[in-house]
Amino acid sequence: MKKPPKKTALQEIEGINGVSRLNRKAISQLRKKLPLADPDELTDKLLSGDPVALSKAITLIESASPKHFETGQKIIRKCLPYTGNAVRIGITGVPGVGKSTFIESLGKLYTGQGHKVAVLAIDPSSTLSKGSILGDKTRMETLVRDKNAFIRPSPSGDNPGGVARKTRETILLCEAAGFDRIIVETVGVGQSETMAHSMVDFFLLLKLAGAGDELQGIKRGIIELADLIVINKADGDNINQARLAQKAFQTALHFYPPKPSGWTPEVLLASALNNKGIDKIAAKIDAYIKLTKENGFFEQNRLEQNKYWLFETVNLTLKNNFYNRPEIQKKLKKLLIQMKKKEITAFEAAKKLLS
Ligand code: GDP
């Protein structure tokens, strides 16, 4: 950690680095000054589909202030009976693959069909960069202006558990506000895909055709998570490459075990920029939902996801409580020194710490 600049005239130049610190403090103070919303009134407005009320409620569940958090939780409890009715879709892919262009196309198709679309994001890097994959206002320009679309950037959080909770609760609030298509966008960084996968019904992997490296550079396990692989930018000179990539992925999919959903993943081509292939993809998603609702997997999966998040939350809380205890921190330091001196094994040290 960099030391804060000393407040002398000579150190003034350091103030440039201090800007983000000052701003963040100002923002958090401003947030704390926001009058506490009446949860009943806010919930009523939210349930009637008011996007301003929805935004306010999300801000409350994201807030670090315990009072705001408590109000947020009250709102969630009131909203719970009205949740669960949306189709939750996860979309992942490396930066530049065309996620926002694709989501804009798919989102427009959905609103054109009379659906209400919420686009959320999970971007673990946003905590570090203070940016966000959805933070850039120029992304999804047309969808932003669509009154049946709601776009919310990635929440920041001190840990992935925080980001996960906020995103899951935001999904619930959006559903209560009448959004029936929830798109969760994520970048292929860290654990963000597994996190997104564990909160959606359908998981879509966006890929690009590369020069012979179609199957490289994919994190292990991501293909296994995908219900559909879409080769984007299948247009212009790229079309033949895209077809080759499609074949390569189709072959690769044969080596994976059948999915518990009973669904067989496919590889489709798209040009998000030219709005090509999007309708076919939407139809595939519909077919998946129909199949899994009929065979019971849809409900079962949502139950499993809830269970998973319950245990995740307990595990995380226990772990944090443990490591944050001053006596544990002191003891840990000593044990690490003993381990370095080869006086104790890692297993023994862990046992001592736990006891
Ligand atoms: P993201 O970082 O994954 O969200 O990618 P973007 O949606 O921002 O797209 C990155 C770049 O690829 C932009 O310049 C887009 O215009 C371009 N792009 C996205 N989809 C397509 C497509 O289907 N075809 C072509 N040729 N370009 C595309």
Side-chain angles (χ1 to χ4, degrees):
M1 270 290 273
K2 214 172 160 198
K3 274 189 185 167
K6 278 188 193 136
K7 282 180 185 147
T8 69
L10 283 175
Q11 299 279 339
E12 201 50 43
I13 201 87
E14 282 283 325
I16 291 167
N17 288 331
V19 166
S20 71
R21 245 193 322 271
L22 273 178
N23 279 347
R24 274 197 293 160
K25 203 172 158 195
I27 289 166
S28 96
Q29 274 176 353
L30 230 158
R31 283 223 171 117
K32 275 184 195 144
K33 275 187 195 156
L34 281 177
L36 268 183
D38 170 33
D40 291 325
E41 201 185 314
L42 202 58
T43 311
D44 285 345
K45 282 190 182 158
L46 186 155
L47 290 173
S48 74
D50 178 353
V52 178
L54 174 61
S55 285
K56 277 190 186 162
I58 298 173
T59 305
L60 288 172
I61 58 140
E62 287 181 349
S63 170
S65 136
K67 270 190 189 159
H68 287 164
F69 178 80
E70 202 33 61
T71 314
Q73 294 306 308
K74 270 190 200 151
I75 295 171
I76 296 234
R77 275 197 293 277
K78 284 174 179 290
C79 284
L80 262 185
Y82 307 96
T83 62
N85 302 320
V87 171
R88 304 167 182 170
I89 303 156
I91 294 182
T92 191
V94 293
V97 70
K99 287 181 299 302
S100 52
T101 315
F102 181 85
I103 292 171
E104 174 135 291
S105 279
L106 184 66
K108 289 300 290 176
L109 185 139
Y110 279 150
T111 57
Q113 289 176 344
H115 292 294
K116 284 185 77 182
V117 182
V119 184
L120 317 175
I122 297 182
D123 179 8
S125 61
S126 70
T127 315
L128 298 174
S129 63
K130 295 180 205 79
S132 157
I133 44 175
L134 284 175
D136 183 350
K137 288 263 163 37
T138 57
R139 300 178 87 228
M140 304 181 203
E141 261 176 4
T142 32
L143 205 58
V144 163
R145 288 194 298 261
D146 193 322
K147 68 175 177 24
N148 286 319
F150 177 84
I151 301 179
R152 182 85 185 184
S154 177
S156 59
D158 300 328
N159 55 53
V163 173
R165 175 190 63 78
K166 290 169 190 175
T167 311
R168 272 179 55 86
E169 291 180 348
T170 301
I171 292 178
L172 297 176
L173 292 176
C174 289
E175 288 178 347
F179 289 89
D180 60 347
R181 290 288 181 275
I182 315 273
I183 298 176
V184 181
E185 176 190 6
T186 186
V187 272
V189 178
Q191 290 182 310
S192 60
E193 288 124 334
T194 3
M195 202 193 273
H197 180 258
S198 59
M199 46 180 93
V200 297
D201 306 309
F202 185 91
F203 200 63
L204 190 155
L205 171 64
L206 273 186
K207 289 294 303 173
L208 288 178
D213 63 347
E214 285 82 6
L215 298 174
Q216 289 167 30
I218 305 168
K219 270 197 312 202
R220 273 178 71 133
I222 297 305
I223 292 209
E224 212 163 346
L225 295 182
D227 297 301
L228 182 68
I229 297 174
V230 172
I231 317 284
N232 191 35
K233 307 198 189 180
D235 46 46
D237 295 342
N238 213 9
I239 193 107
N240 284 334
Q241 290 271 25
R243 287 200 185 112
L244 286 174
Q246 183 183 27
K247 284 217 177 81
F249 276 105
Q250 259 158 359
T251 312
L253 281 177
H254 290 309
F255 295 107
Y256 288 91
K259 286 188 163 268
S261 56
W263 174 258
T264 313
E266 283 180 47
V267 188
L268 295 182
L269 299 182
S271 171
L273 197 63
N274 302 315
N275 236 335
K276 289 249 166 72
I278 310 298
D279 45 355
K280 259 193 187 164
I281 292 161
K284 277 281 165 220
I285 299 174
D286 288 345
Y288 173 92
I289 300 300
K290 185 169 179 286
L291 174 91
T292 54
K293 279 197 170 165
E294 278 169 7
N295 69 14
F297 179 82
F298 188 90
E299 269 312 306
Q300 184 60 30
N301 187 43
R302 284 215 174 160
L303 266 174
E304 291 296 328
Q305 288 179 335
N306 264 337
K307 245 181 4 196
Y308 169 81
W309 284 109
L310 184 148
F311 288 118
E312 273 292 298
T313 311
V314 171
N315 291 348
L316 205 84
T317 313
L318 285 177
K319 209 166 91 181
N320 286 346
N321 288 351
F322 180 75
Y323 285 114
N324 287 339
R325 276 161 64 172
E327 70 268 29
I328 292 294
Q329 286 171 354
K330 232 163 89 187
K331 182 89 187 164
L332 182 63
K333 236 185 218 166
K334 276 188 193 157
L335 287 167
L336 284 172
I337 294 170
Q338 277 184 286
M339 253 169 56
K340 203 172 169 189
K341 289 187 188 160
K342 297 197 173 142
E343 291 170 4
I344 192 168
T345 67
F347 185 71
E348 245 182 310
K351 259 177 88 177
K352 279 200 169 174
L353 211 56
L354 286 166
S355 68

